[in-house]
Amino acid sequence: MDCIFCKIAKGEIPSIKVFENENFFAVNDINPKAKIHILIIPKEHIESIKHLQDSHKNLIGEMFLAAQKIAKGKNLQGYKLVINVGREGGQLVDHLHLHLLSGEVDPLKV
Ligand code: 5GP
Ligand code: ZN
């Protein structure tokens, strides 16, 4: 499958993983939008939040716990977690991922 995050997961594209466990890995974003910008990526190919199923309940909980663990490990006092969903939601890579941003993060304007 021609998916950049699956290729990183399988080691077909070399990367420095800042975190890894059974179900997830995390890498620094190639084009950081804050001082710290980490992507938390499930190893399973799930296209987006739109493609979640009941069977993913635990996985999604684990994704946020992985973010908390990474943030604690980096001693971050505050951070922003973002999931873009679909093109209209700013999603460019069609493999679910959680952005963890910290430092010089703009407040959300709605
Ligand atoms: P999205 O817009 O889909 O929510 O976020 C995709 C993110 O992946 C972007 O912030 C982009 O900079 C990042 N990205 C795209 N290709 C690569 C890559 O090959 N390696 C890494 N580490 N990040 C990537
Ligand atoms: Zn994928």
Side-chain angles (χ1 to χ4, degrees):
M1 193 194 300
D2 201 25
C3 169
I4 202 157
F5 288 170
C6 282
K7 284 183 180 163
I8 293 174
K10 289 180 201 146
E12 290 170 15
I13 295 175
S15 72
I16 297 166
K17 297 194 172 78
V18 299
F19 172 88
E20 184 164 16
N21 67 16
E22 190 191 346
N23 294 321
F24 292 90
F25 65 97
V27 291
N28 289 316
D29 196 290
I30 206 168
N31 180 19
K33 280 86 178 173
K35 272 189 177 172
I36 289 177
H37 187 171
I38 293 169
L39 303 173
I40 298 144
I41 306 171
K43 292 178 180 177
E44 178 185 346
H45 181 89
I46 303 166
E47 220 174 294
S48 79
I49 287 287
K50 289 192 281 187
H51 298 77
L52 281 184
Q53 299 178 0
D54 281 350
S55 58
H56 293 126
K57 267 185 197 169
N58 283 344
L59 195 76
I60 294 308
E62 274 180 37
M63 185 163 74
F64 283 93
L65 288 170
Q68 185 205 57
K69 200 167 184 177
I70 292 165
K72 265 189 198 162
K74 291 191 168 294
N75 201 24
L76 301 181
Q77 301 303 303
Y79 46 94
K80 188 197 293 256
L81 299 174
V82 175
I83 300 175
N84 296 321
V85 187
R87 291 290 172 273
E88 290 89 344
Q91 185 176 6
L92 296 173
V93 176
D94 291 330
H95 178 134
L96 178 65
H97 51 282
L98 178 63
H99 295 259
L100 188 162
L101 303 130
S102 184
E104 296 172 8
V105 176
D106 290 335
L108 182 64
K109 296 185 186 80
V110 286

